[in-house]
Amino acid sequence: MSAYTTSEMMTVAAARRLQNGAVCFVGIGLPSKAANLARLTSSPDVVLIYESGPIGAKPEVLPLSIGDGELAETADTVVPTAEIFRYWLQGGRIDVGFLGAAQVDKFGNINTTVIGDYHQPKVRLPGAGGAPEIAGSAKEVLIILKQSHRTFVDKLAFITSVGHGEGGDHRRQLGLPGKGPVAIITDLCIMEPEAGSNEFVVTSLHPGITREQVVENTGWAIRFADRLAVTAEPNETELGALRALEARTAAAHGQKGDDQ
Amino acid sequence: MSAYTTSEMMTVAAARRLQNGAVCFVGIGLPSKAANLARLTSSPDVVLIYESGPIGAKPEVLPLSIGDGELAETADTVVPTAEIFRYWLQGGRIDVGFLGAAQVDKFGNINTTVIGDYHQPKVRLPGAGGAPEIAGSAKEVLIILKQSHRTFVDKLAFITSVGHGEGGDHRRQLGLPGKGPVAIITDLCIMEPEAGSNEFVVTSLHPGITREQVVENTGWAIRFADRLAVTAEPNETELGALRALEARTAAAHGQKGDDQ
Amino acid sequence: MADLLSLSEAVQRFVNDGDTVALEGFTHLIPTAAGHELIRQGKRDLTLVRMTPDLVYDLLIGAGCAKKLIFSWGGNPGVGSLHRLRDAVERGWPQPLEIEEHSHADLANAYVAGASGLPFAVLRAYAGSDLPKVNPLLRSVTCPFTGEVLAAVPSVRPDVTVIHAQKADRKGNVLLWGILGVQKEAALAARRCIVTVEEIVDDLAAPMNACVLPSWAIRAVCEVPGGAHPSYAHGYYERDNRFYQAWDPIARERETFVAWVDDYIRGTRDYAEFQQKLAQANAAEAR
Amino acid sequence: MADLLSLSEAVQRFVNDGDTVALEGFTHLIPTAAGHELIRQGKRDLTLVRMTPDLVYDLLIGAGCAKKLIFSWGGNPGVGSLHRLRDAVERGWPQPLEIEEHSHADLANAYVAGASGLPFAVLRAYAGSDLPKVNPLLRSVTCPFTGEVLAAVPSVRPDVTVIHAQKADRKGNVLLWGILGVQKEAALAARRCIVTVEEIVDDLAAPMNACVLPSWAIRAVCEVPGGAHPSYAHGYYERDNRFYQAWDPIARERETFVAWVDDYIRGTRDYAEFQQKLAQANAAEAR
């Protein structure tokens, strides 16, 4: 096994969660990279939908924006943005909503709006985008982001997109159709909601990562599942496909397409 | 002037009401024939919209159905039927709704649903189709139908599509955006709503038609405007264009396309 | 992913007695072949939804497949009445038919709401019309911003929608063009969708923003060339106006109707055999 | 019927100080040239609506044209923050900016409602989100059939919408393709619509069901080749990713931003001169 970065581990681990044939509503950046890696490896028939309108996109290089021409050219069809949200997402046709986040809390709620007070913000983030309704209506949600004290916080200043709300069956009480986040994939580990409480606990540590590292990089008292797995290392196929994808992207754009 | 039929007079008189450049939502049958005659004579830039989806249709031959391929082929674009009703009609972009009817009353209300009791009908008519919302939302409405005791009735068994309701400002009270029917064009005359009461009165008799004929063929005590005009006879251009249109239609379909 | 099936198998697998079924197609691409197959398989107690019932529902109603009809304009376009529909409504033959009546704008919006996963649609409609007096499902809702009272109608969510389209590829992606009607909305509003197509091709060659239904959004694709007769399939064949006229005397009397259905539909194995029989009859008549 | 006008004349005629203006284009076909012209003409007190404010609104806000922003995602896609937007929100420079914040699904539905002549849109949204706490316009409505409580949001009805499209014909009919975003809805929701296009042609050669805006539904068509830079126009030019990155240091500080606007926008007569100047600067940098 060749050496790999924690970023690569994160992307590979996230890509593995996407079942072949699943219909996936893809956020730009890390989710898009992981979803396309899945499509190029284990899940060739995954269906990628971007909020800008492409359905069944099969980009050769990663898009830098949510509406790159590459997505339109490789899609089965391109529909108006409103239709994406109305017929395809709210219509109940999305199996997996694949989201990034600026911050998450222990119940998988997401903040992409503001840090500090809404009216006197410490940091103003981009805002909601498509996430609140993806988080609400996709049959399940995967979240991918780099783990740190600043991103995994005890209390969000602002809940932009709901995960399991206040935990337990709060989500059901809210009447949300989808079952919410089923995994958070980071550069350190995989977290999944604990049965009953729906609090995210670590279920798999990436190779070489210690519990201490995870604890240090989590803003709440993170817990570990009794049966804690170790994530399988990226294999040659996965790494090869990921690096080739990034190389093609860099050649086309001069960027790897994983920002934002 | 060559001889002409009362049917031809009706179609020509109706066509003349359509201003050049008007955006017209066209019903199938008589309205479609008159609207296309207008397009082929005095109003070359009239925009014809059919509920099936064509916008800016310029058919060479009259359609037999509301969704003939000829309409799609000659249109500026063809949109989904729901969009026609949502963005174009309800969106307030229709200048003239051009309707036929099975029956009308003195306030220009239309019945296309049932004669007799709804649940034990004497005659079951086709139903509403697009008419109720055309009658409600088009900026103004033209109605074309052959005049008889059976079609111009004192009291409708069923109001499918509202005209001026109970008369006066009833329409405004109902909150309807369009100003309702501004003319009923028949094979005998033209009727227009009287200022104030909005009751339809005869404002123009077709050449050779007597007041008595109109009275005999109207189911309510029809009144005549103080300044009663005589409709100008069809001129050579109008008759020529109409007959050529019908001849092309008959050659294509074996029918003249004026039924229903 | 859609399975490529025979129409017979698709109807067997996906349509149950008692289902709410929408066969859509607005004068163009009317799924007639699928209507025939419902009759051949003797489906019963269907609630039929369709903006323009047309010949295809006249047939299903006369053949005793329907218990209820949801519609907005019921006629034989350009010809006259639907006699079997009227006989069922007015005289309960072959069985009583409940009707639920809407306007086109209403039903079109109701399909949009169904496709959008919403329980109801909002539109500006019905003020001054008697329709709400005979259809208790035409209700109202008040705008929380302006106070305007608007019509609220229940969304349409068929158990099964059947549409006819021009093409599918071998994966089951479907392309239609021309008059689109409410087919896409009806397809997406349904729990299960069957699409009959003129042909199955290697490559759809669809324009970028064309009306494409992806394979994974539908259940079955069935190749049934000519399956929209007597309506038309843009790019394939024209409307058979003669058949619409010929239908009038066939459907006018119960006896002629039953004889026709027994002969042409129940008496044929599938749509291809029906087409053959119809062609033979037309040829004989022309002689 | 749309008039074929210069962009300068169209903006002069159809945009007033204090108007609610939507410049739409979802990463594709962003009407940048029109944004520049609003600055050149010194339009003030605009309420700007746009799902993704992007560079074009960072510019307008920094240049002091806006008093309010209605949006759902405000960033420099793939790069980072919109510094001028943040400076206005966080420090009131060059003037305070009121913000009204939505989600994409909400604003997309609000444009649809606007195009449909409805005062509000209904969607399943915001349950569990804090957005309704900071935006009092996110309300609810109860389904009169199921009792479900759904989100109700006000429709968007701009005084003026500006979009960029690939082509118009000489009558002013407009064709766009590729990523369509919410442009058609934004155009039809507006009282007045200006369309800038890459080129004016004799024949649109549009596929039958293409996204065409008929001339009579818009007010002005302006030929502005390259007018969507640094976004792209499918079939004409690609996204200028370098410019999105270059924007970050330009907009980061007030001084560099003002200098850039004075030089490149206020210091040029029109978009063609801007393009020339930008090309010269790029060439100089490459040397």
Side-chain angles (χ1 to χ4, degrees), chain B residues 4-24:
Chain B
Y4 57 89
T5 67
T6 53
S7 235
E8 286 171 335
M9 181 70 255
M10 170 170 66
T11 303
V12 166
R16 289 175 186 156
R17 302 291 302 217
L18 214 50
Q19 297 280 314
N20 196 23
V23 178
C24 180

Side-chain angles (χ1 to χ4, degrees), chain D residues 140-213:
Chain D
S140 67
V141 69
T142 302
C143 171
F145 303 99
T146 63
E148 182 179 355
V149 176
L150 292 137
V153 299
S155 61
V156 175
R157 301 295 308 260
D159 295 306
V160 190
T161 286
V162 187
I163 64 169
H164 187 78
Q166 280 107 331
K167 284 186 195 177
D169 65 20
R170 295 186 197 287
K171 289 181 189 160
N173 298 300
V174 168
L175 170 66
L176 49 167
W177 69 88
I179 304 280
L180 299 174
V182 292
Q183 280 99 305
K184 180 172 180 173
E185 288 75 16
L188 295 179
R191 284 172 187 79
R192 305 181 292 279
C193 180
I194 300 171
V195 184
T196 57
V197 295
E198 286 299 320
E199 58 172 342
I200 292 176
V201 297
D202 289 328
D203 181 2
L204 286 182
M208 198 171 271
N209 302 113
C211 182
V212 171
L213 283 168

Side-chain angles (χ1 to χ4, degrees), chain A residues 62-133:
Chain A
L62 291 172
L64 291 193
S65 83
I66 194 76
D68 273 17
E70 172 82 2
L71 298 174
E73 272 157 15
T74 60
D76 292 325
T77 185
V78 182
V79 303
T81 295
E83 184 183 314
I84 288 285
F85 285 106
R86 289 157 59 87
Y87 292 1
W88 301 90
L89 177 60
Q90 188 176 262
R93 299 189 173 270
I94 304 298
D95 297 318
V96 181
F98 210 151
L99 296 175
Q103 295 186 321
V104 293
D105 69 12
K106 68 168 80 105
F107 296 119
N109 301 303
I110 293 175
N111 176 17
T112 53
T113 301
V114 75
I115 295 173
D117 179 65
Y118 181 80
H119 298 284
Q120 298 292 331
K122 249 183 268 174
V123 183
R124 175 65 229 198
L125 301 164
E133 287 73 34

Side-chain angles (χ1 to χ4, degrees), chain A residues 51-52 54 64-69 72-73 78 80-82 85-86 90 113 118-119 121-124 126-130 132-133 157-160 162 174 176-177 253 255 259-260, chain D residues 26-28 51 71-75 77-78 81 86 90 99 101-105 108-109 112 123-131 134 178-182 185 232 234 239 241 245:
Chain A
E51 65 194 15
S52 58
L64 291 193
S65 83
I66 194 76
D68 273 17
E73 272 157 15
V78 182
T81 295
F85 285 106
R86 289 157 59 87
Q90 188 176 262
T113 301
Y118 181 80
H119 298 284
K122 249 183 268 174
V123 183
R124 175 65 229 198
E133 287 73 34
F158 196 95
I159 297 180
T160 313
V162 74
L174 291 168
L176 292 161
H253 294 319
Q255 290 178 42
D259 299 331
Q260 179 224 316
Chain D
F26 200 85
T27 66
H28 178 213
M51 290 176 67
F71 77 111
S72 45
W73 193 90
S81 286
R86 285 183 59 174
E90 295 170 21
I99 60 170
E101 198 163 351
H102 300 256
S103 72
H104 278 355
N109 273 284
V112 169
L123 68 160
R124 193 173 288 107
Y126 292 128
S129 168
D130 284 340
L131 269 164
V134 297
I179 304 280
L180 299 174
V182 292
E185 288 75 16
Y232 69 105
H234 212 126
R239 192 169 187 266
N241 294 309
Q245 294 178 303

Side-chain angles (χ1 to χ4, degrees), chain C residues 120-137:
Chain C
F120 72 112
V122 176
L123 67 160
R124 193 173 288 106
Y126 293 129
S129 167
D130 284 339
L131 270 164
K133 296 182 188 165
V134 297
N135 183 346
L137 294 172

